[in-house]
């Protein structure tokens, strides 16, 4: 039962993610294609202007060059954005061989935040406050699913404008990861049902109500950690993920 | 190009790269006067201060979405041609927009420059024709007043 719903949840997340990725790629590709056309025409124009060898024409040429430089800068930003997105996707899609391996939690968080960024770019900022952490034995692909789920939940709770803060901290025998949002928060009734499978406050099609139940299973059953939260209606919600340190690192 | 002023185009997208690319494209041949904004509120204030022929707006923007922006512009400047530039995933919202704000045209990202240019040109032409029509109707109205006035003076003088 859990496995079947897990698969369903993953498919629903992937569907939403693909739409968000398509969204994210549209603007940079549109810009780069358009800039390419403008750059080619600008080069033709420069050729004509330079051939005239008059100072007025050279002044115009300088303006054309400024525009070209601006467009080249944009092309760079656009391509970097697509590249970061692809890097994030690679991390997310990496095959898990079933064995736990030594994992750099900060690096996984950075990549998942960069991938999730495409789902909440508009009006929502995400701050990363990362402390130095030892590597821990973990299943990075599963952890990234949890991170992505918490980030997307935060973004949905925020709506159009707000802030998400992801903070990592080394505690005596564990790693503490906090996801704090300035979203709508939860009522006591909602809090009581958070980890219940199929519970959701979202509109049909926005959430399956499986994410948090699944996330808790991944953190608690497969990593022997804990997933807890605190929330206040109108103020926001913070989710706490705690993962035990791998033996040679713990005090 | 005649001595008439160039068509004015407003480009609104919360992503600076889109605004810069489209502005550069529309300005490359000097055919249009382009004003770019990444904040829909600022774009709205601009339209309040002066008329524009065409507005091209993104759909998903923080604070105010493209549909809300176009609706406000329609109230302020009904003759402005309204174009929406959206991602495919927003197609349903775009169809709503066509009905709700009497959209002139809807374009998809990633956009095709030639298609964009055709749409902007015909949007500008539509705005120009509407403006001319309004001016001609105004002239007819004042001519009508002159005739009515002459008529009443004639009646006073001879009857």
């Amino acid at each position: 039962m859990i496995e079947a719903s897990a698969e369903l949840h993953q498919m629903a997340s992937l569907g939403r993610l693909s739409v968000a990725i398509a969204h994210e790629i549209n603007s940079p590709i549109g810009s780069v294609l358009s800039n390419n056309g403008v750059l080619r025409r600008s080069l033709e124009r420069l050729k004509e202007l330079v051939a005239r060898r008059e100072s007025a024409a050279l002044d115009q040429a300088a303006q054309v060059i400024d525009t070209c430089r601006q467009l080249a800068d944009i092309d760079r930003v656009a391509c970097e954005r697509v590249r970061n997105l692809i890097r994030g996707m690679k991390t997310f899609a990496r095959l898990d061989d079933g064995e736990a391996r030594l994992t750099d939690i900060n690096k996984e968080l950075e990549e998942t935040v960069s991938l999730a960024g495409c789902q909440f770019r508009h009006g929502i900022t995400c701050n990363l406050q990362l402390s130095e952490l030892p590597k821990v034995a973990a299943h990075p692909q599963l952890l990234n699913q949890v991170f992505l789920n918490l980030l997307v939940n935060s973004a949905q709770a925020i709506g159009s404008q707000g802030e998400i803060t992801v903070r990592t901290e080394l505690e005596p025998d564990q790693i503490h990861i906090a996801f704090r949002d300035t979203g709508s928060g939860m009522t006591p009734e909602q809090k009581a049902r958070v980890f219940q499978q199929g519970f959701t406050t979202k509109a049909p099609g926005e959430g399956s109500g499986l994410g948090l139940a699944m996330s808790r299973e991944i953190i608690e059953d497969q990593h022997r950690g804990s997933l807890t939260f605190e929330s206040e209606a109108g103020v926001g919600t913070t989710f706490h993920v705690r993962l035990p340190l791998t033996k040679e690192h713990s005090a | 190009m005649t001595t008439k002023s160039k068509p004015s185009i407003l480009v609104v997208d919360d992503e600076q790269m889109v605004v810069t690319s489209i502005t550069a494209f529309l300005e490359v041949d000097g055919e249009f006067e382009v004003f770019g904004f990444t904040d829909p509120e600022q774009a709205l204030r601009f339209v309040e201060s002066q008329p524009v022929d065409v507005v091209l707006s993104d759909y998903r923007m923080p604070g105010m979405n493209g549909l809300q922006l176009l609706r406000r512009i329609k109230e302020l400047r009904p003759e402005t041609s309204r174009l929406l530039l959206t991602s495919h995933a927003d197609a349903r919202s775009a169809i709503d927009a066509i009905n709700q704000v009497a959209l002139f045209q809807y374009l998809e990202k990633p956009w095709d420059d030639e298609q964009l240019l055709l749409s902007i040109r015909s949007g500008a032409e539509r705005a120009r024709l509407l403006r001319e029509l309004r001016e001609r109707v105004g002239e007819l109205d004042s001519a009508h007043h002159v005739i009515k006035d002459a008529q009443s003076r004639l009646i006073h003088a001879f009857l």
Side-chain angles (χ1 to χ4, degrees):
Chain A
M1 172 71 181
I2 271 244
E3 264 171 43
S5 32
E7 200 176 326
L8 206 69
H9 173 73
Q10 200 173 5
M11 278 170 63
S13 314
L14 277 176
R16 281 201 303 278
L17 199 61
S18 324
V19 170
I21 288 168
H23 233 93
E24 180 72 1
I25 292 179
N26 270 332
S27 293
I29 292 296
S31 275
V32 170
L33 275 173
S34 172
N35 293 349
N36 184 265
V38 175
L39 285 169
R40 287 186 67 91
R41 280 159 71 181
S42 299
L43 287 175
E44 293 302 318
R45 206 170 141 64
L46 275 177
K47 203 172 163 183
E48 292 163 21
L49 288 169
V50 170
R52 272 161 49 188
R53 296 173 189 278
E54 302 158 9
S55 68
L58 291 179
D59 286 350
Q60 281 182 45
Q63 279 178 19
V64 174
I65 290 171
D66 282 345
T67 305
C68 291
R69 189 180 297 132
Q70 210 180 3
L71 296 183
D73 286 348
I74 286 186
D75 283 351
R76 186 176 173 84
V77 172
C79 290
E80 278 172 359
R81 203 157 101 190
V82 175
R83 183 193 62 192
N84 292 345
L85 193 70
I86 289 169
R87 278 189 184 160
M89 282 162 68
K90 276 186 185 161
T91 311
F92 199 72
R94 191 171 51 213
L95 286 176
D96 209 334
D97 51 13
E99 294 272 316
R101 58 185 183 83
L102 282 178
T103 305
D104 180 345
I105 298 293
N106 285 336
K107 188 169 152 274
E108 301 298 328
L109 276 170
E110 276 171 346
E111 279 169 4
T112 306
V113 163
S114 135
L115 175 65
C118 65
Q119 297 207 15
F120 51 74
R121 179 167 36 77
H122 295 262
I124 301 180
T125 51
C126 188
N127 306 310
L128 275 170
Q129 297 171 0
L130 306 178
S131 310
E132 205 172 310
L133 300 173
K135 288 185 175 178
V136 289
H139 302 273
Q141 192 210 8
L142 293 177
L143 283 185
N144 284 329
Q145 270 188 47
V146 174
F147 299 157
L148 183 67
N149 183 35
L150 293 177
L151 287 167
V152 170
N153 278 352
S154 294
Q156 286 174 336
I158 288 173
S160 63
Q161 213 122 24
E163 235 179 68
I164 302 173
T165 307
V166 181
R167 192 165 44 84
T168 59
E169 206 173 27
L170 181 61
E171 293 178 349
D173 53 358
Q174 60 190 358
I175 282 173
H176 176 193
I177 311 154
F179 296 80
R180 182 162 56 86
D181 69 61
T182 57
S184 49
M186 288 182 260
T187 63
E189 197 271 335
Q190 290 169 342
K191 282 200 245 182
R193 301 182 61 194
V194 157
F195 291 113
Q196 201 177 320
Q197 249 187 74
F199 174 71
T200 181
T201 57
K202 295 165 199 163
E206 285 208 343
S208 59
L210 294 168
L212 283 171
M214 289 275 314
S215 295
R216 180 143 91 166
E217 192 190 286
I218 290 172
I219 298 297
E220 300 194 346
D221 297 356
Q222 307 197 40
H223 289 90
R224 298 169 197 278
S226 68
L227 176 62
T228 57
F229 71 95
E230 67 216 50
S231 182
E232 199 180 324
V235 178
T237 303
T238 306
F239 273 89
H240 302 277
V241 176
R242 288 186 171 84
L243 298 169
L245 287 180
T246 307
K247 275 194 187 84
E248 58 263 41
H249 294 294
S250 51
Chain B
M1 181 116 330
T2 64
T3 50
K4 275 185 300 183
S5 61
K6 295 175 188 176
S8 54
I9 317 295
L10 191 73
V11 178
V12 192
D13 195 303
D14 63 323
E15 293 193 76
Q16 184 65 56
M17 69 169 70
V18 175
V19 173
T20 310
S21 296
I22 292 182
T23 303
F25 168 66
L26 293 176
E27 280 181 338
V28 73
D29 290 330
E31 185 179 344
F32 305 103
E33 190 173 10
V34 188
F35 304 93
F37 289 92
T38 51
D39 176 3
E41 292 281 355
Q42 277 180 15
L44 195 59
R45 282 198 288 277
F46 181 83
V47 179
E48 276 167 356
S49 72
Q50 69 172 83
V52 290
D53 293 311
V54 179
V55 55
L56 173 73
S57 172
D58 181 26
Y59 178 69
R60 290 211 312 182
M61 295 182 287
M64 186 191 296
N65 70 33
L67 199 53
Q68 292 163 328
L69 174 68
L70 293 179
R71 190 179 297 135
R72 299 284 300 277
I73 290 179
K74 184 182 174 219
E75 288 162 11
L76 286 169
R77 311 272 182 201
E79 73 282 3
T80 298
S81 297
R82 297 167 291 275
L83 279 78
L84 198 67
L85 181 64
T86 73
S87 287
H88 182 64
D90 299 328
R92 199 177 297 161
S93 344
I95 292 165
D96 288 347
I98 294 170
N99 301 321
Q100 286 182 35
V101 301
L103 199 67
F104 177 69
Q105 207 141 85
Y106 137 74
L107 298 157
E108 267 186 18
K109 282 183 190 174
W111 65 95
D112 175 68
D113 274 347
E114 290 313 309
Q115 175 66 41
L116 178 71
L117 188 61
L118 282 177
S119 304
I120 298 264
R121 272 189 190 142
S122 43
E125 179 66 4
R126 171 194 168 276
R128 189 183 64 80
L129 290 173
L130 280 175
R131 208 172 35 238
E132 276 185 16
L133 181 65
R134 202 181 51 192
E135 284 165 15
R136 295 293 99 80
V137 169
E139 283 166 15
L140 274 177
D141 270 352
S142 59
H144 181 68
H145 278 297
V146 171
I147 291 168
K148 289 280 275 188
D149 191 44
Q151 184 197 29
S152 77
R153 277 188 283 127
L154 277 170
I155 288 170
H156 271 285
F158 294 105
L159 293 177

